[in-house]
Amino acid sequence: MIGELLRPTLRLAGSTVRRDPRHFAALGFWSVVEALPAFVSGHAVARAIDDGFAVGRPGVGMAWLGAFAVAAVCGAAAMGRIVPRLGAIVEPLRDALVRRVVRGAVEGGGGRAGSAVVARLTQQVELVRDSFAGLIMVVRDFAFTTASTVAGLLTLLPITVPLVVAPLVVAVALFLRLLLVTVPRQRELVLSEEAVADEAGAVVAGVRDIVACGAEEAIATRAGHVVDAQATAARRVATLTAMSTLCLAVGGWVPVILLLIAAPWLLSGGASTGDVLGAAVFALYGIQPALRSLVHGLGGTGLRLVVTVHRLLHASGRPEPEGWTGRQVWQHGNDVTATRLTFAYGPRAEPVIRDLDLHLPDGDHVAVVGPSGIGKSTLALLLAGQLRPDRGAVTLAGAPLSGFDPADLVRRRVLIPQEAYVFTGTLADNLAYHRHNATRQELTGAAAALGVTRDLDEILDPAALTQAERQLIALARAYLSPARFVILDEATCHLDPAAEARAEEAFAGRPGTLLVIAHRMSSALRARRVLVLDGVRAELGTHEELLAGSPLYRDLVGHWSG
């Protein structure tokens, strides 16, 4: 888990260095100049005391302090050179991340820029840019300041180096161990913040429907759970972050205490008062601020950077499918399972789906039938992850639907409703909506399989298309997608029987699982199994088994036949 979270950030840092190493070389040069005051500080204090103030020569003492001031001015000037170099490093990174998020939203998000996508584009990309810049500054400052301080100690009073460096090494080791524990907690916080954004967006968008259905209490309870989870995650991260104070105490204050304790021994060994004070200045002016910057930087922006980069690249990435059918192999196959699935439109409404257990093995072909309004489309939305059940769960490939990232879920399942979506653009653009790298041969094959006869380069005007034409285009788009779980929610209702049969047979021959909300009896006859919903229970079996054992199914068959 830790390695998975850290790997994208390490790759990001490596690619940034490789993009233009000259900027990093210049950054290193000016960092050496900027660290000059840390090297001069202890020497200046030691010489000002020993060669100046302690022997009655205040002019010499002031001269050494003046040298320290000059070094500080040089360091400030170097910082002015560092900032532009830093901008040249992080701005291209920000642009690349924006392009990736937008591409992931358009290609993998079904064309809907939801709240989570907006958060990634506006908040998280900017967070990565700022955090990465801050991380470079923190690591750079710690590395060069520490090196400069140790060099100063070696040239001033070498015997004090272990007293300063040993606690620093222990503090850094403890801090890095604490970071490894905190990274997963920070990830939980980022995910919970996205969940709050999604939940708030859904509530705001559907407020009129919520009030109309009397679902205020249920929605408030559900939203409250999401907010509580975010608050819990924030408290856990805050607790672990507070523990970093111990690391700062070990590396920042223990060296000073050790120097004070060892002062009599150092003086008796030939060290001057100025040398001891200079060593203390090195610890206070060099080591302690550098460590504080590292702890606060890595413990705050560094953690957010690691988790946010992983989130951005995972959510916006788009693995290439294998072959036009989008064949993919997962650890648990691609089975779909519903366990005690229950859903009602409102806290006082009767459940539309009640305690439904359903297992669809990979490659199954099931038709769902039942009276109008019995919950067939509701079941389709629940199995697609578009609705959250009140009780029970739906798993895909062994994992709960609620745990999938939206972009990943789009790659694994596709839902085609009655009202087909077609946008202005070429037919090829519409067909490649879920499969951006499809070849022209694959586009032609998908169109032919579903009976779409228009030219791939023809510009489509959705308003000029018939409902049947829009449905065929949407079906061909789903047929070409990498998803192995396809749900047709009366998606062929505007097609004639021959075209409907052709579409369902095409999907049945496509690797994966097919669930059809039946519009005609012929859909049930073509399916491997049939699921009958009657509002109280569900019956699953073959056409022949249900004819023999289900009175409702026999009535439906007779109604359709009539």
Side-chain angles (χ1 to χ4, degrees), residues 103 107 318-321 431-439 480 482:
R103 184 172 65 247
E107 296 170 355
R318 190 176 176 85
E320 298 299 328
L431 296 185
Y433 191 65
H434 294 307
R435 179 87 185 285
H436 70 290
N437 63 336
T439 65
L480 190 63

Side-chain angles (χ1 to χ4, degrees), residues 365-380 415-418 471 486-495 500-501 504 514-533 543 546 553 556-557 559-560:
H365 179 185
V366 174
V368 182
V369 301
S372 178
I374 205 64
K376 301 187 295 295
S377 293
T378 301
L379 176 61
L415 168 68
I416 306 99
Q418 295 182 34
Q471 282 193 333
V486 176
I487 305 171
L488 306 182
D489 184 9
E490 296 194 18
T492 59
C493 61
H494 297 298
L495 304 183
E500 180 183 62
E504 290 185 7
L514 176 63
L515 183 78
V516 180
I517 307 300
H519 176 66
R520 297 184 178 94
M521 187 60 206
S522 53
S523 296
L525 296 175
R526 283 188 290 268
R528 184 173 303 154
R529 297 190 296 167
V530 181
L531 176 65
V532 183
L533 299 180
H543 172 70
L546 292 173
Y553 186 68
L556 292 171
V557 170
H559 171 73
W560 266 325

